[in-house]
Amino acid sequence: MSIEKEINSIREKFSEDLGRVVTSKDLEELKVRYLGKKGSVSALMISLKDAEDAQKPILGKSINLLKNEIALAIHELMEKINSAELDQKLQKEKIDVTLPGKRRRLGRLHPVSQMLYKVVDVLIDMGFSVQLGPDVDSDFYNFEALNFPKDHPARDMQDTFYITHDLLLRTQTSNVQVRVMEKNPLPIRMVAPGRCFRNETVSARSHIFFHQIEGIYIDKNVTFADLLATLDELWRRLFEKEIKTRYRPSYFPFVEPGIEADILCTQCHGGGCRLCKFSGWLEVIGAGMIHPEVLKAGGIDPEQYQGYAFGLGIERLTLLRYGISDIRRFTENDNRFLAQF
Ligand code: FA5
């Protein structure tokens, strides 16, 4: 075939091939087939060397013309395809900004921690400062300094996890009392929140692991009336609604006189249920005027100073405040339960 015929045949073939192009990939392949190093147009250029000398400039011009036509056609189609493909992509990736967003679940404090912080906040507001005591403590601070001599029957009130003969998991936050007296100048007005451990039978209202907040106020002329007024104000601020409380005389070796306070059970409203052991009331706190022997153990002269102390159970308060029927719910780690607080 003469070169001229070949030029025309390539032009026609290109026009047909161009009509079949759909995607930018098809077009790239077409470009390589016609304009690439081994493409049809390059082959034409190579075949030029066999043409007669006089024909060479004319044919060379025709081949260049064909090359430019093909390049232009490819360029124009490439622009159209690119813009169509971009439209398609944008359509596919379109975002409806009016759709509601995905809610991210945030972690939150455990209900017992929430209650503990709330009680501490209220007490700080009432003039108490915060100090912490150790979870693992000596028999001395947990018992002996608090007027529990060795073999005293009152020790049986708090079944204890001993680590060694002298070291134990504290059974009460009262272990901070003498430490605080030893360390701080008078007057003392402080609270100590913390974990307590007792080797007890677990029930709806009692666990082997729970939290207390200890409160201590020592000054000249502190009276039992101050203690009751503080507790009444605490209940009022914590529950933010009318609740019924009652104070009963009770015995703790480290106070004299001693009391316990009960709150009317919010599960049965006094009717009787498992939580309140069918008594209608739940005990939440032990308290009293600090025993002179304990003040002495802390280096304080009981002739000059008096004080009150209380130990408040945080799990029990949380049960009552939110109407929860069983203390075991706090340690089950059930997210459906925890997410409600
Ligand atoms: C005491 O622990 C005394 N240290 C309280 C005290 C402090 C008295 C200062 C006087 C002066 P009691 O064992 O009653 O007392 O416990 C106090 C509170 O802790 C209880 O009213 C209850 O709310 C909570 N509590 C006690 N044992 C458990 C338990 N096993 N599970 C959950 N809460 C408990």
Side-chain angles (χ1 to χ4, degrees), residues 17-32:
D17 286 351
L18 193 69
R20 279 195 287 271
V21 165
V22 179
T23 64
S24 53
K25 194 165 166 261
D26 299 341
L27 194 59
E28 278 303 332
E29 279 168 15
L30 188 77
K31 188 175 173 184
V32 172

Side-chain angles (χ1 to χ4, degrees), residues 158 171-172 174 177 198 200 205-207 210 212 214 252 254-255 260 283-288 309-313 315-316 327:
Q158 300 180 6
T171 57
Q172 50 185 350
S174 299
Q177 286 192 14
R198 289 187 196 176
E200 283 191 8
R205 55 204 257 130
S206 295
H207 212 284
F210 57 98
Q212 285 183 345
E214 192 79 5
F252 300 96
F254 40 100
V255 288
E260 281 178 327
E283 179 215 311
V284 291
I285 196 170
F310 58 81
L312 179 62
E315 276 76 3
R316 298 247 178 110
I327 199 170

Side-chain angles (χ1 to χ4, degrees), residues 96-136:
D96 182 352
V97 290
T98 64
L99 284 176
K102 280 189 188 148
R103 188 180 290 272
R104 275 178 194 269
R105 279 174 176 258
L106 288 179
R108 64 188 76 205
L109 284 178
H110 191 279
V112 172
S113 302
Q114 289 185 35
M115 178 53 89
L116 189 134
Y117 287 128
K118 188 165 167 105
V119 179
V120 170
D121 277 352
V122 169
L123 288 164
I124 286 175
D125 214 37
M126 290 164 73
F128 289 80
S129 64
V130 179
Q131 298 199 10
L132 299 176
D135 292 356
V136 176

Side-chain angles (χ1 to χ4, degrees), residues 3-19:
I3 293 182
E4 244 169 61
K5 278 193 182 155
E6 191 118 347
I7 290 173
N8 286 334
S9 139
I10 289 175
R11 181 176 276 119
E12 273 170 33
K13 180 86 181 26
F14 173 74
S15 172
E16 280 169 26
D17 286 351
L18 193 69

